[in-house]
Amino acid sequence: MEDWSPTSWTTKPIKQDVTYDDPEAVKAALEKLKKLPPLVTPQEIVNLKKCLRNVALGKAFVLQGGDCAELFDYCNQDKIEAKVKLLLQMSLVLIWGANKPVVRIARIAGQFAKPRSSPTETVDGVTMLSFRGDNINGFAATPESRRPDPSRLVSAYFHSAATLNYLRAALSSGIADLHSPLDWGLGHVITPSIKQKYERIVNRVTDSLRFMRTVGLDRDRGVHTVDIYTSHEGLSLEYEQCFTRLMRHPPDALSESEESRFSSSSSSTARHRRASSTSSPPPRGYYDTSAHFLWIGDRTRQVNGAHVEFFRGLSNPIGIKIGPTMTAEELVQLLDTVNPSKEIGKVTLITRYGASKIAQHLPGHIAAVQKSGHLPVWQCDPMHGNTQSTPSGIKTRHFSDIMSELKQALEIHRAMGSFLGGMHLELTGEAVTECVGGAGGLTEEGLSERYETFCDPRLNEKQALELAFLVAGFYREELEEPTDI
């Protein structure tokens, strides 16, 4: 990495960049960000890397989900708690189904920027810049609102910090305590046979929790709280650069010669220093402390582009979105570029083909990666390849397509001796009406009831839980009797 620095990306061509009118205001905003404390710590990032290594080896499953595009207004207690509770509920179903630990990663506390297919749009005959996310410009359809404002980058930090502060406080205060009653709420399921299948899984999960409580196996931190890591697309490189900081070994860490000098001493100071030295500090390297996990989007994954250049120097675990336009050769080249040492689980490949295209592209990508010697985490994003518009122009996704792509991914990986290590979902813990279908039978006519997204349509809490049932049933089928899910 001698030819890399946090600023080397500026020498490369860039996609989805933002042009500001006031360079001095941009400079002032970035200088402010550089002085602010990290949002997450390198040790937390290392802990996630260890978890994702287990996922890549087939020993765990990763659940990643949250809003398509966070808004500053989402920084409130109810919305944060709704997401946490949904991720917990889904992960319980997945743990029961796969009989493996679940790594929880939320699209939260930083998922503000969004790539767009077109830099401009026309509203009521007026052409203006597209909405790029709350950390870039405003959603209101006026040229002034859509003007990029660098002060929003600083606002993004403080909203991320406030969100993360409450997330940590809620987790440490017992929001994820398994002793608390869980609202499985299957009343929305209108098909009796499907409801029966879901109820069977819920009963088994609750029976397992009841058994743990009865025999005293729940007297452990693991049933009172959980780890939830943060993630977002690393789109705004100026912002990410401000939080990319070199981690050195602590100055008071003992060298081997120092340790030998203290080894024969019985003083309390010596014992304390030896004890301190046993906790390994994070490896030396550059950590992007804006989030635990960041990913490169399908529109910014050019091997010689600025985003790949920036990401290849990070010590964070990173993701890469993989779409149908990616060739097998490009995929291997990307992996060789961002992970030349072939560190297991360092890279998460987030596949997003579409239900009608996954069978055409995924097998070739798996085969190429297997041949290359890389061992990434394979994660299915069944959302982005299945977006469509209704006749009236409302953007939506059909739950049947989402379910189909996820099920095909599970089957293709199993057939090729691979492992689908996780799913990546745009979801909300609220009862929105943005995706058609599901066990609740939402129709296109019903989309207007609570269509609240400012970008792409999200699964509501019931639809997201249904996907967890699907995956749980698939893996449970391998462990015991068939489940018909």
Side-chain angles (χ1 to χ4, degrees):
M1 301 304 299
E2 294 179 357
D3 61 339
W4 185 90
S5 74
T7 62
S8 60
W9 65 270
T10 59
T11 66
K12 303 288 184 177
I14 188 169
K15 299 284 187 180
Q16 298 287 325
D17 58 325
V18 178
T19 301
Y20 293 95
D21 295 338
D22 188 347
E24 290 303 314
V26 175
K27 182 179 179 181
L30 298 180
E31 288 299 321
K32 171 70 173 177
L33 291 173
K34 290 176 184 177
K35 298 175 183 177
L36 292 170
L39 289 168
V40 302
T41 68
Q43 187 60 60
E44 291 174 327
I45 294 171
V46 170
N47 292 342
L48 175 58
K49 287 184 75 172
K50 293 177 181 177
C51 293
L52 291 176
R53 175 185 171 85
N54 286 333
V55 174
L57 293 171
K59 299 177 181 179
F61 192 87
V62 59
L63 170 64
Q64 187 169 3
D67 290 297
C68 165
E70 269 187 290
L71 298 182
F72 294 160
D73 287 345
Y74 292 173
C75 181
N76 68 64
Q77 178 179 347
D78 291 342
K79 290 185 183 296
I80 295 170
E81 288 185 355
K83 292 172 194 172
V84 171
K85 290 177 180 177
L86 176 58
L87 289 174
L88 172 65
Q89 205 168 17
M90 294 175 70
S91 64
L92 280 178
V93 173
L94 292 169
I95 290 169
W96 173 85
N99 198 29
K100 296 173 182 176
V102 169
V103 182
R104 304 166 185 88
I105 304 177
R107 293 169 57 114
I108 200 171
Q111 179 53 18
F112 296 116
K114 290 296 295 181
R116 302 310 297 261
S117 56
S118 173
T120 62
E121 65 175 332
T122 301
V123 181
D124 296 331
V126 179
T127 299
M128 63 194 74
L129 294 174
S130 297
F131 175 58
R132 296 288 303 275
D134 253 2
N135 65 341
I136 303 297
N137 56 7
F139 180 75
T142 66
E144 180 58 30
S145 173
R146 296 293 176 85
R147 177 176 172 266
D149 179 358
S151 70
R152 286 178 171 267
L153 294 172
V154 179
S155 293
Y157 170 86
F158 285 109
H159 282 87
S160 296
T163 298
L164 189 54
N165 178 65
Y166 184 70
L167 176 64
R168 295 185 193 277
L171 289 173
S172 65
S173 300
I175 191 175
D177 191 345
L178 298 188
H179 294 106
S180 302
L182 297 173
D183 176 20
W184 296 101
L186 294 173
H188 72 292
V189 181
I190 60 178
T191 305
S193 61
I194 295 177
K195 186 171 185 177
Q196 184 179 10
K197 295 172 186 176
Y198 292 169
E199 285 177 339
R200 185 165 67 248
I201 292 178
V202 170
N203 289 338
R204 292 183 180 183
V205 173
T206 53
D207 284 346
S208 298
L209 296 176
R210 191 179 301 115
F211 174 78
M212 290 173 60
R213 187 178 302 116
T214 301
V215 300
L217 294 177
D218 63 346
R219 297 169 187 169
D220 182 80
R221 175 184 178 274
V223 301
H224 295 287
T225 187
V226 297
D227 292 321
I228 295 182
Y229 298 99
T230 62
S231 68
H232 61 258
E233 180 177 354
L235 191 62
S236 177
L237 296 183
E238 294 93 346
Y239 180 87
E240 303 302 336
Q241 179 187 318
C242 292
F243 295 99
T244 301
R245 297 162 187 185
L246 178 63
M247 176 65 192
R248 298 181 175 90
H249 292 307
D252 60 345
L254 295 178
S255 66
E256 291 184 8
S257 60
E258 288 177 313
E259 177 64 25
S260 63
R261 285 193 288 111
F262 281 102
S263 61
S264 59
S265 173
S266 60
S267 71
S268 59
T269 301
R271 289 196 301 271
H272 172 73
R273 293 200 70 183
R274 285 199 301 272
S276 299
S277 68
T278 60
S279 55
S280 300
R284 177 184 173 91
Y286 282 96
Y287 293 82
D288 186 341
T289 58
S290 71
H292 301 105
F293 179 96
L294 299 103
W295 72 86
I296 304 172
D298 193 48
R299 293 188 176 98
T300 54
R301 55 168 174 74
Q302 297 78 21
V303 174
N304 297 316
H307 288 81
V308 171
E309 170 63 22
F310 178 76
F311 271 67
R312 77 179 180 91
L314 298 181
S315 295
N316 303 59
I318 63 172
I320 302 175
K321 287 289 189 82
I322 307 299
T325 60
M326 171 82 75
T327 67
E329 293 75 18
E330 288 173 327
L331 176 54
V332 173
Q333 187 180 4
L334 261 178
L335 286 171
D336 288 340
T337 301
V338 299
N339 188 24
S341 63
K342 298 185 178 179
E343 180 182 354
I344 297 174
K346 157 76 174 179
V347 179
T348 296
L349 297 179
I350 310 167
T351 61
R352 40 151 297 176
Y353 306 106
S356 63
K357 298 179 180 179
I358 182 172
Q360 177 185 351
H361 298 283
L362 180 56
H365 285 162
I366 293 175
V369 172
Q370 288 174 330
K371 185 178 179 181
S372 73
H374 286 277
L375 192 56
V377 172
W378 286 97
Q379 191 181 50
C380 177
D381 169 5
M383 307 293 292
H384 283 88
N386 294 303
T387 306
Q388 55 186 279
S389 296
T390 67
S392 60
I394 300 175
K395 187 188 293 186
T396 189
R397 290 157 174 160
H398 285 257
F399 186 78
S400 58
D401 293 334
I402 295 169
M403 186 82 86
S404 173
E405 181 164 359
L406 185 56
K407 188 173 182 180
Q408 288 182 72
L410 288 162
E411 293 170 344
I412 290 170
H413 277 283
R414 180 170 63 179
M416 298 193 65
S418 181
F419 174 69
L420 180 64
M423 53 185 179
H424 187 121
L425 307 172
E426 291 185 340
L427 55 80
T428 175
E430 299 166 86
V432 299
T433 54
E434 297 169 4
C435 293
V436 174
L442 179 65
T443 64
E444 290 185 356
E445 289 71 24
L447 290 175
S448 59
E449 292 179 14
R450 282 196 64 181
Y451 193 94
E452 299 177 359
T453 182
F454 285 78
C455 194
D456 291 336
R458 304 160 294 176
L459 296 169
N460 61 35
E461 82 283 23
K462 302 304 182 186
Q463 293 168 330
L465 193 56
E466 286 181 61
L467 288 185
F469 285 139
L470 166 72
V471 177
F474 179 89
Y475 285 114
R476 206 65 185 184
E477 183 180 275
E478 296 182 332
L479 295 173
E480 52 180 47
E481 77 280 2
T483 64
D484 295 330
I485 292 292

